[in-house]
Amino acid sequence: MTKKSAIPLKTVRVVVPAPLDGAYDYLPPEESGLLDPGAIVEVPFGRRTMLGVVWGEGNGDVPAEKLKQILRVLPLPPVPETSRSFVDWVANYTLAPTGSVLKMLFGNETLVEPKKKDAFACPVFDPDCHQPSLNEEQHAAAKILSEEPQREKPRPILLDGVTGSGKTEVFCEAIASCLRQGKQALVLLPEIAMTSALIDRFAARFGARPVEWHSGLGNRQRRLHWQAIARGEAKFILGARSALFLPYPDLGLIVVDEEHEAAYKQEEGVIYHGRDMAVVRAHLGNIPIVLSSATPSLETLSNVRQGKYGAVVLHQRFGTAEMPAIDLVDMRKYKLAAHEFIAPPLLEGLRQTLATGQQAMLFLNRRGYAPLTLCRACGHRLQCPRCTAWLTQHKQSGRLHCHHCDYTMRLPEKCPSCGAADRFAACGPGVERIAEEVKTRLPEARLSVMASDTLDTPESAQALVDSMAKKEIDILIGTQIMAKGYHFPSLTLVGVIDADLGLSGGDPRASERTFQLLQQMAGRSGRGEEAGRVFLQTVSPDHAVMKAIVKGDRDAFMNLELAEREAFRLPPFWRLASLTVSGMNVNEVTTFAQNLARSAPAGDTFRVLGPAPAPFARLRNRFRYRLMIQAPRTVNLSATLRLWLKAIKIPRTLRLAIDIDPFSFL
Ligand code: ADP
Ligand code: ZN
């Protein structure tokens, strides 16, 4: 046997943005003796080359004769230590491969490499460009936010204020003080459709448009922005959750706007909650984070109660605007025709609104014309061939659409089951159908429909918002994307077609989400001079959620909900993880899921529920079975899961999705 190279080789570990755990050892490039940790390098990888990041000293686990050399070091600042720790932390917590998390830091491998022609005039922000005069309450709140960075250990702070109380103005003060220190400030938004309206406000406040980071940008723009952020030139960044992973050299503040939003949860690839990871990122960087919401999540409120988070509260709406009066419309009292969904009190409200030249919004969280189409002759329901879901009927396009997998088909002429012609009936309302009803009953009203499938770019959302602001629309009908922070001064009436939607079903967060959504919708009304009114149509006016909303009593709702969560061992008292097994063959899926459950570590603190079919038992042709893991907060759930799953071999034909702190239960 020949002895291996006797001279100790100085190697470095490099992580590449591929779905792989761990890092690989490489030799430094010839010309450089020393490599900074965090250096961005190009390495041979398999048969190709890849960009990667130097993570530290080599592990020594690659035999000397197999060691490859780093090809070159890119002319970029090294990825800062906090960013690397953050990647490790997220990978460790979510059980995602380190390389997959690094991929989010790169945004996309092609972005990292500067191109010759690239020139980006990075905007310069003036913290004092246009400072509004804050009212007393706002001033006090802004002071607390601006002083937090001076603490030795800044805490997350909840900025808790009713819609229209000026939360945005207040957190802008925190941004201003961050900019004055020359540090980078990041504002996260749950959805990109919301960016336009805020960008204009930020531009007015700071004299320049923030540097954006989200999937709506083209590749060139993304590259320029990535470079400017990584070099620390971009000081004010507005982005979607993915912006959290960028390699900020000098991040001084994070703001999570609408922190309660479910859209912060990424459900595919690396499964993580943007708000929670933002709190982690702030902690690792020892910087303050502001969580802003009119309807904070139960988790955040509970953290405030326990003293882990600070809180500042804005009680009043800015100026003269009052919170609207909320009326429940008890739908059991009215006999509506099968194709009608607007009860007399709401219709009367709409008439009055039109008569006085004000605007109204009708809210229904269902896209299309009808959520279900059935055959009147045989009762057959038109279902997605790939999912356990009904097909939504879209009348305008004459098509049926699955909103889970994007499957679409023409509405057939004959029933596929019994062959009867022209016997299809649309069941239940979608926003298109509500528009149709309003058109027949209030023909003089100018309508517009706002749903995520009609507004998929920030520009189209902005166009609609503009035309609403110019009062070219009398009644805006839409899904929950309307609940977002838009401000329409002449909007005085909000009608919620089905306030019960969301209260049913086995989702432990249903009540919370309904409470938040209805509060947000109520918050859209009466933000100007005129008082607002809200009608909630419900068949359960005695439900605790409805009562709490009418009274505007969040504490009462919270106490009820927290007691329930505790009794059922749910977050924030217990920790949850879901393991979803999916595959094309149902027997294979169930067998594997059952074996997985059997192999769970024993112990009385760690409970495994299931496997049971997921609520969407079939999605995009894949069958889905789920295990729920419940553990006390004292258990390190990620570590326990990792240990357990290490011994499990997942067949190539199956997929196992691990979701720590699941948010949606579909
Ligand atoms: P929130 O974010 O809490 O919903 P906003 O910050 O959007 O509230 O404020 C609601 C409206 O009131 C906006 O049009 C905003 O410009 C205005 N406003 C709030 N505070 C002030 C202030 N101090 N000076 C001027 N306008 C303000
Ligand atoms: Zn489908």
Side-chain angles (χ1 to χ4, degrees), residues 384-389 391 402-407 619-620:
C384 175
R386 306 195 288 223
C387 307
T388 353
L391 290 167
C402 172
H403 290 306
H404 305 287
C405 73
D406 270 347
Y407 172 87
L619 206 58
R620 297 184 185 92

Side-chain angles (χ1 to χ4, degrees), residues 370-381:
L372 169 66
T373 307
L374 62 72
C375 169
R376 257 172 287 176
C378 74
H380 179 75
R381 297 160 171 221

